[in-house]
Amino acid sequence: MKMAVIADVHGNLPALKAVFSELDLRKDVKHIYCLGDMIGIGPVSNEVLHLLFSREDVSMITGNHDEAVLALAKGEEYHKSHSSVRRHHQWILDRLDKSFIPYLENLPRRIIQNIEGHSVLFCHYQFKKDHKDQPISKDPLSSIVSPSKDNLEKLFRNHNEKLICFGHHHPTHFFTGKKATYLNPGSLGCNYKPTAPYALINFSKKKFEITLQETVYDNLDFLNSYYQLEIPEREFILKVFHGNQM
C-alpha cells in the first residue's frame, strides 16, 4: 500500500497542482496525508483549500498558520510568536472564503493510523501533552528548535508510533532513531527553487520504505503575484521563503 505525504502548502496553488498531477498519473498512491499550514505566506488560499477539500483521497491536519488565521477569524487571542506577520494573516483572512472556516475548525491536530501493521503519527509538530487541546495562542512549541535525530527523539519520547511524519520546518528531514523513523517531506509551497517536495511511503507487512520526491513546476506567475496583489511583507516572504528567485 503506497501513501503520499505533503506538508506546508502555504497557499501555493501551482505547486500543489503539479504534485497532484504527478500523483494522479502514478495510479498506485492510495491516500495523501497533508500535514498542515495549507494557508498563510502564499496568496492563493481559497483555490488551495478548494482543491484539498474536494478530494476524497486527502486527509488533513491543521498547522500554526491555519490556526493563527482562524484565531483572527474568531476574535481569539493571537499567538505572540506570529505578531510580526499579523498584518499578513489579516490580509489572508480578509480574502478567505468564509465557508472554509468551519472546515478548518473541524480538522484534527494529529492523525494516528495503523497501516499494514505499522503505527504512524501524522502531525504538524508535537504539542505538549497538556496543550494538545489548547488554543494555538497557548502553545509553546510552535517555534521549536530545528529538528535533529536527538531533538526529535526527545520531542516524541512519549509516542510509540514507529513512523512519525511532521511538517512545520520547511527543509526536508529524514532520520531513523532508536524508537522510530522521523519524516518531514519538506515544504511543498515554500522552496528556494521551482520544485515542490513530497514523500512516498510504500507499506508492506514486514516494512515500510520512504522515497523523497520533487516535482518541477513553473512558479514565475506565482512569485509575481506577490507584487501584483501587493501582499503585506512580500519582500521578506520572497527572500526568506522563496530564496529571492525573482
Side-chain angles (χ1 to χ4, degrees), residues 143-157:
S143 300
I144 58 173
V145 295
S146 182
S148 67
K149 185 166 69 174
D150 289 342
N151 286 339
L152 289 168
E153 290 194 318
K154 291 177 183 177
L155 192 63
F156 292 98
R157 62 186 176 274

Side-chain angles (χ1 to χ4, degrees), residues 27 30 59 77 87 94-95 97 99 101 121 126 128 179 200 217:
K27 305 296 186 185
K30 301 302 181 185
S59 294
E77 185 180 354
R87 190 164 68 97
D94 290 344
R95 288 152 183 81
D97 182 341
S99 67
I101 290 176
L121 168 66
Q126 173 64 347
K128 284 188 175 180
K179 291 178 57 180
L200 294 174
Y217 72 104

Side-chain angles (χ1 to χ4, degrees), residues 1-245:
M1 184 176 291
K2 189 167 287 186
M3 307 290 183
V5 181
I6 64 175
D8 296 272
V9 178
H10 282 299
N12 188 335
L13 183 65
L16 183 62
K17 280 186 170 180
V19 169
F20 278 174
S21 294
E22 190 167 288
L23 292 174
D24 290 341
L25 286 174
R26 295 185 57 93
K27 305 296 186 185
D28 60 345
V29 175
K30 301 302 181 185
H31 203 75
I32 303 164
Y33 290 91
C34 180
L35 306 184
D37 277 2
M38 288 76 71
I39 61 176
I41 298 179
V44 199
S45 301
N46 293 322
E47 293 86 346
V48 161
L49 292 176
H50 179 267
L51 181 54
L52 288 166
F53 281 116
S54 67
R55 293 185 64 117
E56 296 183 354
D57 61 346
V58 175
S59 294
M60 285 179 278
I61 57 177
T62 57
N64 53 297
H65 281 263
D66 309 312
E67 294 193 26
V69 172
L70 279 175
L72 291 176
K74 296 189 292 182
E76 295 177 351
E77 185 180 354
Y78 186 77
H79 202 300
K80 292 179 180 179
S81 70
H82 289 328
S83 59
S84 63
V85 292
R86 181 168 184 152
R87 190 164 68 97
H88 174 79
H89 281 156
Q90 186 65 53
W91 187 94
I92 295 291
L93 175 61
D94 290 344
R95 288 152 183 81
L96 183 69
D97 182 341
K98 301 308 185 289
S99 67
F100 286 123
I101 290 176
Y103 288 95
L104 290 169
E105 282 184 296
N106 288 324
L107 290 177
R109 281 180 170 171
R110 65 180 187 177
I111 297 171
I112 298 176
Q113 296 276 37
N114 188 297
I115 305 173
E116 295 290 328
H118 305 282
S119 55
V120 187
L121 168 66
F122 300 96
C123 61
H124 188 61
Y125 54 80
Q126 173 64 347
F127 286 83
K128 284 188 175 180
K129 187 176 181 179
D130 58 344
H131 283 265
K132 63 184 179 65
D133 297 318
Q134 294 289 324
I136 190 69
S137 61
K138 305 298 183 184
D139 172 44
L141 292 180
S142 59
S143 300
I144 58 173
V145 295
S146 182
S148 67
K149 185 166 69 174
D150 289 342
N151 286 339
L152 289 168
E153 290 194 318
K154 291 177 183 177
L155 192 63
F156 292 98
R157 62 186 176 274
N158 294 322
H159 282 269
N160 295 316
E161 291 80 21
K162 297 303 181 184
L163 174 59
I164 295 176
C165 301
F166 64 99
H168 189 56
H169 299 275
H170 292 179
T172 301
H173 300 94
F174 182 19
F175 306 111
T176 298
K178 296 176 182 177
K179 291 178 57 180
T181 296
Y182 305 92
L183 170 67
N184 171 7
S187 174
L188 181 148
C190 295
N191 206 348
Y192 61 90
K193 56 184 179 179
T195 61
Y198 66 98
L200 294 174
I201 311 173
N202 192 24
F203 292 92
S204 65
K205 295 293 184 182
K206 293 184 178 180
K207 62 181 180 179
F208 54 83
E209 297 176 307
I210 296 170
T211 307
L212 301 175
Q213 304 282 336
E214 274 191 337
T215 301
V216 178
Y217 72 104
D218 184 354
N219 66 353
L220 185 59
D221 287 344
F222 173 74
L223 296 177
N224 277 323
S225 71
Y226 282 91
Y227 290 101
Q228 293 166 353
L229 297 172
E230 298 183 345
I231 297 170
E233 323 299 340
R234 56 188 173 275
E235 297 289 350
F236 173 80
I237 290 172
L238 288 168
K239 177 182 178 181
V240 173
F241 296 108
H242 296 292
N244 269 341
Q245 293 176 67

